[in-house]
Amino acid sequence: ETGVTQSPTHLIKTRGQQVTLRCSSQSGHNTVSWYQQALGQGPQFIFQYYREEENGRGNFPPRFSGLQFPNYSSELNVNALELDDSALYLCASSLAGRGLSGNTIYFGEGSWLTVV
Amino acid sequence: GESVGLHLPTLSVQEGDNSIINCAYSNSASDYFIWYKQESGKGPQFIIDIRSNMDKRQGQRVTVLLNKTVKHLSLQIAATQPGDSAVYFCAEIGNSGYSTLTFGKGTMLLVSP
């Protein structure tokens, strides 16, 4: 067990809808990252939050947004869902910040999103 | 863009054999590498990591080798077991100071009893 928990585990949404995914980081970890993993592919970095601020972003459109709360938990929001958004969404937590790359990064089990 | 890739998409071995999974990376500035194991329907599980100032690191039944000259990373699994069957990813972190991972596509390891 990594101590990183995600919810919901599975969900189905209709194209055009909005979705919110949640993540609780491992105790003491102040950095949360979100990744999208399409079937048969490696995870792709969406964005990272450190101390409640976005700390880096991958190649994803603005309809992918997030939040981090004072307890370091995080949400991923996706608006105007498209069929290609169907994927496993992974949350990863670490104890790191600017200049501290290299700390072990642990993943949750993910949220399976199907857009129909 | 920068990427991390794997040479073999599928590796089939017999139980008890040693397995070697290879990975090539293209970002010479990467300073930290991690191997993850991902079983079907689950999130990536940390296996072992290595920093760029090291050539080799050993864990329980696993060894990671790093060759910075040719930008190559390998994961060796000793006495492979059926429970080792999974997709294995190598991932890199650059030296930007942010702990963001770049993954390759993965290698499927199939272990036959």
Side-chain angles (χ1 to χ4, degrees), chain A residues 35 37 48 55 97 99 102 105 109, chain B residues 32 36 38 43 97-99 101:
Chain A
Y35 291 79
Q37 186 176 22
Q48 180 182 93
N55 190 41
I105 300 169
E109 298 291 10
Chain B
Y32 182 55
Y36 286 95
Q38 188 173 27
Y98 301 102
S99 53
L101 294 162

Side-chain angles (χ1 to χ4, degrees), chain A residues 35-100:
Chain A
Y35 291 79
Q36 180 195 66
Q37 186 176 22
L39 202 60
Q41 303 290 322
Q44 298 292 314
F45 173 68
I46 303 174
F47 45 56
Q48 180 182 93
Y49 278 84
Y50 170 66
R51 294 184 176 176
E52 303 178 56
E53 292 186 359
E54 189 176 289
N55 190 41
R57 189 178 184 93
N59 188 27
F60 281 82
R63 60 189 184 84
F64 285 77
S65 63
L67 287 172
Q68 187 179 32
F69 300 99
N71 66 354
Y72 304 134
S73 66
S74 178
E75 287 183 354
L76 165 65
N77 300 290
V78 186
N79 294 321
L81 284 167
E82 302 176 358
L83 297 179
D84 286 347
D85 295 333
S86 296
L88 177 66
Y89 288 85
L90 294 161
C91 172
S93 79
S94 59
L95 180 60
R98 292 181 176 84
L100 293 177

Side-chain angles (χ1 to χ4, degrees), chain B residues 1 9 13-14 24 38-39 42 45 87 94 96 100 102 105 107 109:
Chain B
V13 301
Q14 293 288 324
Q38 188 173 27
E39 297 175 275
K42 296 187 175 182
Q45 176 188 353
V87 177
S96 66
T100 59
T102 300
K105 293 189 80 172
T107 292
L109 176 64

Side-chain angles (χ1 to χ4, degrees), chain B residues 33-93:
Chain B
F33 303 87
I34 307 175
W35 280 100
Y36 286 95
K37 171 187 179 184
Q38 188 173 27
E39 297 175 275
S40 180
K42 296 187 175 182
Q45 176 188 353
F46 173 89
I47 300 174
I48 192 168
D49 57 0
I50 188 168
R51 295 183 181 275
S52 59
N53 61 354
M54 303 170 67
D55 297 323
K56 179 179 179 179
R57 191 167 189 213
Q58 288 184 293
Q60 186 176 11
R61 284 202 305 118
V62 295
T63 301
V64 55
L65 299 177
L66 175 61
N67 185 331
K68 294 179 288 294
T69 301
V70 295
K71 292 187 284 188
H72 183 268
L73 197 67
S74 69
L75 176 70
Q76 300 178 2
I77 305 174
T80 313
Q81 303 167 0
D84 294 327
S85 295
V87 177
Y88 289 80
F89 292 96
C90 64
E92 61 166 323
I93 292 180

Side-chain angles (χ1 to χ4, degrees), chain A residues 16-29:
Chain A
Q17 285 188 314
Q18 179 267 343
V19 68
T20 297
L21 308 177
R22 296 178 175 82
C23 171
S24 294
S25 61
Q26 187 179 96
S27 179
H29 281 187

Side-chain angles (χ1 to χ4, degrees), chain B residues 1-4 26-28 92 102:
Chain B
E2 302 291 357
S3 65
V4 177
S26 58
N27 185 356
S28 57
E92 61 166 323
T102 300

